[in-house]
């Protein structure tokens, strides 16, 4: 299992144990985490799983995948250098303890 902490816009934290190999979005949706919609199911066809990778984890999650920048242009909240589509971050043992921050809105 890989532990992930989702920090809501208001500062509330939800920590879950996720399955290695799932995406940050899949883990959130499976555990009813408010703030991640995942409307397209992880096909990188929407931006409703937008998140901000915590600064301490930014290097470990790596750069945005090809196409993420285009999809993020349609995000409802501000885009920053730490913005990612959570469907594109696959959970590995190296990401155990990952912290992501959720935007104010997704739609």
């Amino acid at each position: 299992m890989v532990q992930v902490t989702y920090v809501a816009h208001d500062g509330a934290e939800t920590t879950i144990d996720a399955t290695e190999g799932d995406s940050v979005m899949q883990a959130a949706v499976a555990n009813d985490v408010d703030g991640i919609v995942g409307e397209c199911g992880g096909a990188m066809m929407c931006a409703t799983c937008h998140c901000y990778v915590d600064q301490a984890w930014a290097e470990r999650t790596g750069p945005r995948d090809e196409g993420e920048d285009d999809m993020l242009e349609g995000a409802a909240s501000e885009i920053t250098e730490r913005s990612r589509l959570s469907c594109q971050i696959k959970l590995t043992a190296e990401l155990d303890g990952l912290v992501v921050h959720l935007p104010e809105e997704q739609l």
Side-chain angles (χ1 to χ4, degrees):
M1 297 303 258
V2 178
Q3 200 168 72
V4 182
T5 298
Y6 300 85
V7 182
H9 185 70
D10 66 4
E13 295 184 7
T14 302
T15 300
I16 63 165
D17 289 320
T19 303
E20 192 170 340
D22 281 355
S23 70
V24 172
M25 184 268 317
Q26 288 171 315
V29 170
N31 288 278
D32 298 318
V33 174
D34 286 334
I36 297 283
V37 178
E39 197 169 86
C40 73
M44 203 166 65
M45 299 299 294
C46 70
T48 62
C49 68
H50 175 213
C51 70
Y52 306 105
V53 175
D54 191 86
Q55 184 65 42
W57 292 90
E59 284 189 32
R60 286 184 254 183
T61 57
R64 293 179 189 146
D65 289 338
E66 187 176 326
E68 272 187 84
D69 284 322
D70 292 338
M71 283 294 100
L72 283 167
E73 287 178 12
S77 293
E78 176 186 8
I79 305 306
T80 72
E81 70 279 352
R82 293 183 294 118
S83 288
R84 291 290 307 272
L85 295 177
S86 62
C87 67
Q88 298 302 301
I89 303 171
K90 297 295 181 196
L91 295 170
T92 63
E94 292 77 27
L95 293 181
D96 187 34
L98 176 66
V99 177
V100 295
H101 300 265
L102 305 177
E104 186 172 7
E105 60 183 320
Q106 291 286 16
L107 300 172

